[in-house]
Amino acid sequence: MPDNQEHSSPHQHQEHQQGQEHHASPSAQQHPSPSRHETSPLPQQHPSPAQKSDAKGNANGQRGPGIPLKDRLWAFYAGKYKSLFIIPLLLMLLSLGIIGAGYASTGSFIVKDVSLKGGATITVPLDKEIDTPAIEHAIRAAMPGHDILVRGYGIPGQQQGVIISADIDINSKEQLDALLTAISSSLGSPFKEGSYGIEFFGSSLGASFFRESLIAMLVAFALMALVVFVYFRTFIPSVAIILAAVGDMLAALAFLNLFHIPIGTAGIAAFLMLIGYSVDTDILLTIRVLKRKEGTVDERIASSIKTGVTQTAIAILAMGIGFAMAQSDIIRQIMLILIVGLTADLVFTWIQNVGLLRYYLERKGRT
C-alpha cells in the first residue's frame, strides 16, 4: 500500500500541472508575450505608375484626377508663361502689319475724318427715319473719289437728322454745290434756305491740329515713361509697362484701320485716355509683385489679376453701355477706342507683362 501511494503521487502531480496549463486564463492565450511572438514590420508601399504619372502631370500643369479646373489652368498659366508670350507678340505684329498696310495704301497710318484732313460737315434735321447706309451709298455714287460719311443723330429711339461729312475742297464752290445736290437727291426733297447747317474745316488747319495732337501724345507718353523709370529704377519692369501701353494703342489703331473707321479730334483724346487706363493696371501689377513682400510671387500675381481684371472688366462694361446708349458720334468714338484698347490690355498686361516680370525675378533668383 505505501508503495502504491508513492508510485501514484508523481503521476497525479504531473496530471495536475497539465490541467493547470490546459485551463490557463484566456487573456494569456489571446495576448502572447512579446518574447514568444515577434511582430514583423509592414512591407514598404511604392507609388504605382499611375500615381507617378498623376504626380508628374500635376507638376507640369496637366490634368490629374481630383484637380480642379481652376488649379490646372493656373498651373499651366504659371508654368508655360514663356510659351504664352507668343500671343501678345503675334497680336502686336498683326497690329503693325495692318497699320503698315493702311499707310502703304493711303499714305497715313490712321483714317482721318474731316476735322483732321479738311472738308465740310452738313447737318440736316429730319422729321422721319431714314436709311443712313443707303444715303451714304447714294452720295458716294454721285461724288466718286471723295470720302463720304453719313451718320444719324437724335435721342434714344428717335432719329432727328443726319450729319454728312465730305473731304471736299472748301474753296471750290463747284464741289460744295455738287455735295448739296447729291444730299438733296438722296433724301428725296430739295433743301430750303436755312434748313441745314454747314461747317467747314480747312485742310491746313486740320493738318496743323493733327500734328499738334501727335506732339502732345508723344510728350504725354514720354513723361509717363520717365515717371515709371524714376519710380521703379529697374529696366525690365519699366520697359514691360511701356510695351503694354504701346501694344494697347497699336491694337486699337489697327482695329480702326481694319474697319476703316475715321478718327477725329475726339479719337486723339481717347488715345490719351487709353495711356492712363493701360498704365494703371500695369503699375498695379508691378508694385504688388516687386514692392510687396508678403506671400509668394504666384500669390501676389494672383491677387493682382483678381483686382486688375475686375477693374478692366467693369470699365469695358461701362463703356459698352455708353457706346450703345450714346447718340453723339464723338462719345461713341471715344468709347469704341477705349473698349478695343482695354480688351487688348488684358493680353498685354496679364500675359506679356506678367511673363516679363517672371523672367526678371527668375534672373534675380527671387521666385
Side-chain angles (χ1 to χ4, degrees), residues 110 112-119 170 200-214 263-265 268:
I110 67 171
K112 302 176 184 178
D113 70 0
V114 295
S115 64
L116 293 181
K117 66 179 178 179
I170 61 174
F200 297 103
F201 299 91
S203 58
S204 59
L205 178 62
S208 175
F209 182 81
F210 180 65
R211 183 174 58 255
E212 292 175 358
S213 299
L214 288 182
I263 300 176
T265 55
I268 303 298

Side-chain angles (χ1 to χ4, degrees), residues 233-252:
R233 300 177 185 275
T234 48
F235 181 73
I236 292 181
S238 301
V239 169
I241 294 174
I242 296 171
L243 282 178
V246 171
D248 295 347
M249 297 177 67
L250 289 178

Side-chain angles (χ1 to χ4, degrees), residues 194-319:
S195 62
Y196 62 91
I198 186 167
E199 187 176 7
F200 297 103
F201 299 91
S203 58
S204 59
L205 178 62
S208 175
F209 182 81
F210 180 65
R211 183 174 58 255
E212 292 175 358
S213 299
L214 288 182
I215 293 174
M217 188 179 300
L218 291 175
V219 170
F221 200 88
L223 291 176
M224 177 272 296
L226 178 62
V227 171
V228 169
F229 273 105
V230 169
Y231 182 78
F232 291 104
R233 300 177 185 275
T234 48
F235 181 73
I236 292 181
S238 301
V239 169
I241 294 174
I242 296 171
L243 282 178
V246 171
D248 295 347
M249 297 177 67
L250 289 178
L253 188 57
F255 179 88
L256 298 175
N257 281 0
L258 181 64
F259 293 97
H260 202 73
I261 300 174
I263 300 176
T265 55
I268 303 298
F271 277 104
L272 290 172
M273 295 172 63
L274 183 59
I275 295 176
Y277 274 108
S278 171
V279 172
D280 187 25
T281 53
D282 289 293
I283 289 180
L284 166 71
L285 168 67
T286 307
I287 288 179
R288 287 195 179 182
V289 173
L290 298 184
K291 299 294 184 179
R292 293 189 179 181
K293 304 301 180 184
E294 64 272 13
T296 64
V297 172
D298 281 348
E299 289 173 349
R300 297 197 293 268
I301 291 176
S303 173
S304 302
I305 291 175
K306 183 177 180 180
T307 304
V309 171
T310 302
Q311 173 184 323
T312 303
I314 293 174
I316 292 174
L317 178 62
M319 292 170 189

Side-chain angles (χ1 to χ4, degrees), residues 16-64:
H16 179 69
Q17 290 178 346
Q18 292 176 354
Q20 288 178 346
E21 293 176 359
H22 180 71
H23 296 288
S25 63
S27 62
Q29 294 179 354
Q30 294 176 1
H31 303 283
S33 61
S35 62
R36 297 180 60 184
H37 300 281
E38 296 181 357
T39 59
S40 60
L42 294 175
Q44 185 177 1
Q45 296 182 355
H46 298 281
S48 64
Q51 292 173 332
K52 292 181 179 180
S53 176
D54 293 339
K56 183 178 180 181
N58 295 339
N60 293 332
Q62 298 174 358
R63 182 172 182 176

Side-chain angles (χ1 to χ4, degrees), residues 2 67 103 158 186 192 195 204 251 346:
I67 305 299
Y103 182 81
Q158 181 181 356
S186 63
K192 296 180 181 180
S195 62
S204 59
L346 294 173

